Each structure stands twice: as structure tokens, then as C-alpha cells.
Amino acid sequence: MIPINFEYTNTVFAVNQPEYQPLPAHIAINGDVSICWELTDVEIEKLKETKKLFISVKTFGQPLQPLFMTTEVGDVISLLKCESCEEKTDIETMSQDDDSNWFCPKCWEELTPVMKAEYDKLLKNGEIDAEE
């Protein structure tokens, strides 16, 4: 098994530590760390055969932290569908408009000027009152 970059990777541990393999990961605002591992075909067959997976955690004598394993990225990273492109996106990278619609960073960048222009037009035409 090797740790791999995945869509939501936002850091890499042990980059300058030759005794360790670089470890791509996602760190959430709450401190949770998620890592994606890719299995070889041989490992997949072994898992099918034994239905067992062993994990070794270097605790360096400290208490063991809770572990969670899954095959679904949405189980470890909060994903939300962008209102514009409908792509599932890490909610921590998204922006929300005044109507509680969530947008991915790309759509937010594209739509912000459009939404501002529409707001300014409605304000100018007296269709809405200025927010205080």
C-alpha cells in the first residue's frame, strides 16, 4: 500500500524526513487528518481472501489516538454539492451567499462579480433596500 495524493490533499507530512515516506493528507479545520492509500492488485486479492487488514501506528510511547477507516472520502471529509457546477467539494473551501447557497472556489470567483452587479442593479432600481 502506498499513500497517494487525492482530490482533497492539502498538505504532505515528512517531506524532508528521509527516514519516512512522504504522506499526502487532508487536514480539516478541526485538526482531523485524512490519508488515502492505494492498494496493489496483490493486496486487493489478499484482502478478498483473508478479509483482514493490519495497521501499525507509531505512538512513540504516547496514548493511541482514535482511528477510523473507510472506502468513502465523504466519510472523512465533509463534502457538499456546489449550487452552480454541482461538484462535490470540501465544505471548508466553499463560500456561502446570503441565501445560504454554497459554491466551490472556482464558481464563487466567477459568480461573485455577477451577483454583485445584480445586487447593485436591484438596489439602483429600488427593488431592494441597502443592507445595514
Side-chain angles (χ1 to χ4, degrees):
M1 280 178 245
I2 60 167
I4 61 168
N5 277 309
F6 59 107
E7 184 177 357
Y8 306 102
T9 296
N10 60 12
T11 194
V12 180
F13 292 100
V15 173
N16 297 314
Q17 294 177 275
E19 66 272 27
Y20 299 111
Q21 181 177 355
L23 186 62
H26 173 273
I27 300 178
I29 290 172
N30 68 2
D32 287 355
V33 176
S34 300
I35 303 157
C36 182
W37 298 83
E38 185 172 75
L39 285 68
T40 65
D41 291 340
V42 171
E43 290 167 329
I44 291 169
E45 291 305 314
K46 186 68 174 180
L47 273 173
K48 285 181 186 177
E49 176 189 329
T50 67
K51 295 182 172 47
K52 294 179 183 169
L53 180 66
F54 295 89
I55 301 171
S56 174
V57 179
K58 303 290 183 203
T59 65
F60 303 101
Q62 300 300 310
L64 179 64
Q65 298 296 311
L67 300 172
F68 175 75
M69 296 180 69
T70 182
T71 58
E72 298 293 330
V73 69
D75 291 342
V76 292
I77 298 173
S78 296
L79 302 177
L80 194 62
K81 186 167 44 168
C82 172
E83 289 291 328
S84 182
C85 69
E86 299 188 349
E87 291 292 319
K88 286 190 175 183
T89 305
D90 176 2
I91 194 171
E92 293 180 6
T93 67
M94 299 176 82
S95 297
Q96 188 178 30
D97 68 9
D98 292 339
D99 291 326
S100 298
N101 296 306
W102 289 88
F103 298 93
C104 70
K106 182 180 178 207
C107 290
W108 185 254
E109 184 178 336
E110 291 174 5
L111 292 172
T112 298
V114 175
M115 291 187 290
K116 169 102 171 76
E118 181 66 22
Y119 172 80
D120 290 345
K121 179 181 168 187
L122 292 170
L123 190 60
K124 181 180 177 187
N125 293 339
E127 296 177 51
I128 60 171
D129 292 326
E131 293 182 21
E132 299 188 25

